[in-house]
Amino acid sequence: MTGTQSGDQEAQVRAEVLARALPYLRRYAGDTVVVKYGGSAMVDTSLSTAFGHDIALLKQVGVNPVVVHGGGPQISAMLRRLQIESTFIDGLRVTDAAMIDVIEMVLGGKVNKQVAGLINRAGALAVGISGLDGGLISARRLQRRAREAGIETDRLLDLGFVGEPTRIDPRVIYALSGSGLIPVIAPIGAGEQGETYNINADTAAGAIAGAVNASRLLMLTDVPGVLDGDGRLIPELTAEDARRGIASGMISGGMIPKVETCLEAVRAGAKAAVILDGRVRHSCLLELFTEAGPGTLIRGG
């Protein structure tokens, strides 16, 4: 095969890919897509570079991406360097006054700017902010009841400055997106007295997706999606299906809070939410611009 023939075939393949993607490009043009970025996609260099290019491409084809990122491993590393011991209860880091300063520094500073830099290097313009900027995320102390032998008790846990969103003011998101910029958000919120709260990134992304009526909430995880009893991927669930899956035990363990976040986002105004395998390169593009993305889509109803 000559170089010319090889080049012609490659061009043909690219043209076919673009032709197949065109209906999806039209579907999402002008829409907002909220992406929760974390897990392997955040620590694997190849995946993180691909993620930056994917988000830049979304903006360039007329979609308005909003990125909400985590940073648990980076926070843990900094706390170890500072010889501050971490304690976890039900997967949540107990956060005292000294620790919240470190978390704000790491999430709102180093990690936030690194994620924005990935997108900037891919050719788009991203701006790193936190939930404290523009009054984006108002929060309160998270109330969580203790469990004994797997059963919830009446005793409230003291998690310190771990919070949950009470209100999302999306004006700063609209201002940035409308100016051609991509908001990259650290999940930190402000309490009524100006105190800072550390918010789970999944929870923050779900609340933001609902507030901006996102077409999609894409939650990048380290699992294929929601699996059935035989371990097979479930491509799509209605909200009612998801609730039944939790009640029956089919959806269990760490998948429960992720599914509940998706349900809350859809209830609050997002059109659909997807638990997406972030270990797959270009998973965001595959989900939005092909028939079957690598994850589980949850719709209202």
Side-chain angles (χ1 to χ4, degrees):
M1 181 183 295
T2 68
T4 301
Q5 289 174 325
S6 176
D8 288 346
Q9 288 185 352
E10 184 177 345
Q12 182 68 29
V13 169
R14 289 182 178 179
E16 289 176 359
V17 170
L18 289 172
R20 291 174 183 173
L22 185 58
Y24 300 97
L25 295 174
R26 289 173 174 165
R27 176 191 297 177
Y28 293 108
D31 287 0
T32 297
V33 172
V34 175
V35 183
K36 185 271 176 172
Y37 178 51
S40 294
M42 198 169 186
V43 297
D44 181 286
T45 301
S46 174
L47 292 174
S48 63
T49 300
F51 173 82
H53 282 277
D54 289 355
I55 298 301
L57 178 62
L58 290 179
K59 189 68 175 180
Q60 290 158 359
V61 299
V63 180
N64 291 313
V66 176
V67 177
V68 182
H69 65 81
Q74 295 89 336
I75 292 170
S76 295
M78 180 60 73
L79 291 172
R80 285 194 298 269
R81 287 179 56 187
L82 297 175
Q83 298 183 337
I84 299 175
E85 186 175 349
S86 294
T87 302
F88 290 86
I89 299 177
D90 292 341
L92 295 171
R93 191 190 307 269
V94 179
T95 305
D96 60 20
M99 198 176 291
I100 192 64
D101 289 340
V102 176
I103 290 172
E104 184 175 358
M105 175 182 68
V106 175
L107 275 184
K110 183 178 180 180
V111 176
N112 186 251
K113 306 317 173 191
Q114 285 177 339
V115 176
L118 289 172
I119 301 167
N120 288 330
R121 287 192 294 276
L125 293 175
V127 176
I129 62 174
S130 80
L132 302 177
D133 294 309
L136 174 57
I137 303 178
S138 297
R140 65 187 173 201
R141 185 166 296 204
L142 179 65
Q143 298 291 313
R144 180 68 64 84
R145 296 187 182 278
R147 287 180 174 271
E148 295 180 2
I151 300 174
E152 193 173 83
T153 69
D154 292 331
R155 181 169 60 88
L156 291 175
L157 298 173
D158 184 5
L159 298 169
F161 291 93
V162 176
E164 59 183 353
T166 57
R167 185 175 65 89
I168 303 295
D169 185 341
R171 285 180 293 176
V172 66
I173 294 176
Y174 295 147
L176 292 172
S177 294
S179 299
L181 305 173
I182 299 172
V184 176
I185 302 167
I188 302 168
E192 290 186 353
Q193 305 304 316
E195 67 274 29
T196 298
Y197 286 107
N198 177 27
I199 300 171
N200 176 273
D202 289 354
T203 303
I208 290 169
V212 300
N213 301 122
S215 286
R216 289 289 186 273
L217 165 63
L218 304 182
M219 294 183 60
L220 300 187
T221 66
D222 287 343
V223 295
V226 179
L227 306 180
D228 65 16
D230 296 321
R232 294 172 300 196
L233 177 68
I234 302 174
E236 184 170 337
L237 291 167
T238 66
E240 184 56 35
D241 290 336
R243 285 189 285 267
R244 282 198 299 264
I246 293 173
S248 70
M250 181 190 73
I251 298 172
S252 60
M255 185 57 68
I256 292 176
K258 294 185 183 300
V259 170
E260 288 178 338
T261 293
C262 292
L263 290 172
E264 177 58 25
V266 170
R267 186 204 63 78
K271 293 179 182 177
V274 186
I275 298 173
L276 198 58
D277 194 341
R279 300 168 300 177
V280 176
R281 282 172 59 85
H282 306 300
S283 56
C284 293
L285 300 186
L286 290 169
E287 174 58 37
L288 294 175
F289 300 143
T290 67
E291 279 294 338
T296 300
L297 182 142
I298 299 175
R299 299 183 184 274

